[in-house]
């Protein structure tokens, strides 16, 4: 798999480039950061569970009934779908707008409808759980509507214990907003 984001020296192009948005295909939706280790680990565990369920399906199909095997395959397919959706959760940007992808829903706001994108200090959820801690959040405030839930936080599954990565991702999203927003 080609790693276009790496230079010959191993440094990130986005950091060394003078342009704030070094992308050629601006119309394509892209995530401005890599999925974090907590998100990838959760998806890997779900896929491991699905593999176990598929092996169980084989045993059930040979020893049990076909209906039980079909139920096991269906549940394994749901677990695989969950793992893939978990990897897609996050913020996606393009020249069209900003898209906040959740596990069960997706919210898209066009850049012309965005009033402000800013980083603030506020209580944020720790790994998406009800417990809150003091941290940073990237907020998108649409014109004439209620603000979206924080699109990025420094305590979510992508940026926990990686404040530098959060700062870079927030800067990139703010750069997309500054370049594409029309007053």
């Amino acid at each position: 798999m080609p790693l276009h984001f790496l230079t010959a020296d191993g440094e990130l192009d986005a950091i060394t480039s003078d342009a704030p948005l070094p992308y050629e295909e601006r119309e394509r939706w892209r995530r401005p950061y890599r999925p974090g280790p907590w998100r990838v680990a959760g998806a890997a565990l779900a896929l491991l569970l699905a593999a176990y369920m598929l092996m169980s399906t084989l045993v059930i199909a040979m020893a049990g009934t076909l209906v039980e095997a079909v139920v096991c395959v269906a549940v394994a397919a749901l677990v695989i779908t969950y793992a893939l959706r978990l990897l897609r959760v996050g913020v996606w940007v393009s020249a069209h707008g900003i898209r906040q992808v959740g596990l069960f829903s997706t919210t898209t706001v066009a850049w012309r409808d965005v009033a402000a994108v800013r980083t603030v200090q506020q209580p944020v959820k720790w790994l998406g759980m009800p417990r809150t801690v003091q941290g940073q959040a990237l907020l998108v405030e649409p014109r004439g509507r209620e603000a979206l839930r924080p699109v990025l936080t420094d305590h979510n599954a992508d940026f926990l214990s990686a404040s530098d990565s959060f700062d870079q991702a927030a800067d990139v999203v703010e750069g997309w907003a500054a370049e594409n927003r029309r007053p």
Side-chain angles (χ1 to χ4, degrees), residues 12-144:
L12 291 175
D13 286 336
I15 295 172
T16 59
S17 173
D18 292 335
L21 309 173
Y23 299 115
E24 295 174 8
E25 298 176 34
R26 301 183 49 74
E27 301 297 318
R28 194 174 127 213
W29 289 98
R30 64 182 71 245
R31 185 193 315 250
Y33 56 91
R34 294 182 189 157
W38 288 92
R39 186 170 313 283
V40 173
L45 286 175
L47 290 174
L48 183 66
L49 176 64
Y52 175 76
M53 293 170 72
L54 289 172
M55 291 299 293
S56 299
T57 301
L58 181 64
V59 172
I60 289 171
M62 292 183 157
T65 65
L66 184 61
V67 173
E68 293 169 344
V70 169
V71 169
C72 280
V73 166
V75 172
L78 285 173
V79 172
I80 291 169
T81 303
Y82 166 77
L84 294 176
R85 185 67 184 185
L86 185 63
L87 289 173
R88 289 196 47 86
V89 168
V91 174
W92 297 75
V93 293
S94 79
H96 302 292
I98 184 167
R99 180 174 286 170
Q100 186 176 22
V101 177
L103 196 56
F104 298 111
S105 66
T106 299
T107 305
T108 303
V109 179
W111 289 121
R112 67 179 174 277
D113 297 333
V114 173
V117 176
R118 57 192 174 93
T119 305
V120 297
Q121 289 282 335
Q122 69 177 32
V124 296
K125 290 184 178 184
W126 183 78
L127 286 177
M129 296 181 190
R131 177 180 174 216
T132 60
V133 295
Q134 189 65 26
Q136 293 183 7
L138 182 70
L139 298 179
V140 174
E141 298 173 0
R143 289 188 175 104

Side-chain angles (χ1 to χ4, degrees), residues 107-182:
T107 305
T108 303
V109 179
W111 289 121
R112 67 179 174 277
D113 297 333
V114 173
V117 176
R118 57 192 174 93
T119 305
V120 297
Q121 289 282 335
Q122 69 177 32
V124 296
K125 290 184 178 184
W126 183 78
L127 286 177
M129 296 181 190
R131 177 180 174 216
T132 60
V133 295
Q134 189 65 26
Q136 293 183 7
L138 182 70
L139 298 179
V140 174
E141 298 173 0
R143 289 188 175 104
R145 290 194 307 181
E146 184 178 318
L148 301 175
R149 61 184 165 84
V151 293
L152 295 175
T153 68
D154 62 345
H155 285 82
N156 69 6
D158 293 319
F159 301 111
L160 188 64
S161 302
S163 60
D164 292 340
S165 297
F166 171 79
D167 293 337
Q168 285 178 345
D171 290 343
V172 169
V173 173
E174 289 172 352
W176 276 87
E179 187 165 310
N180 292 302
R181 214 171 3 142
R182 294 180 188 100

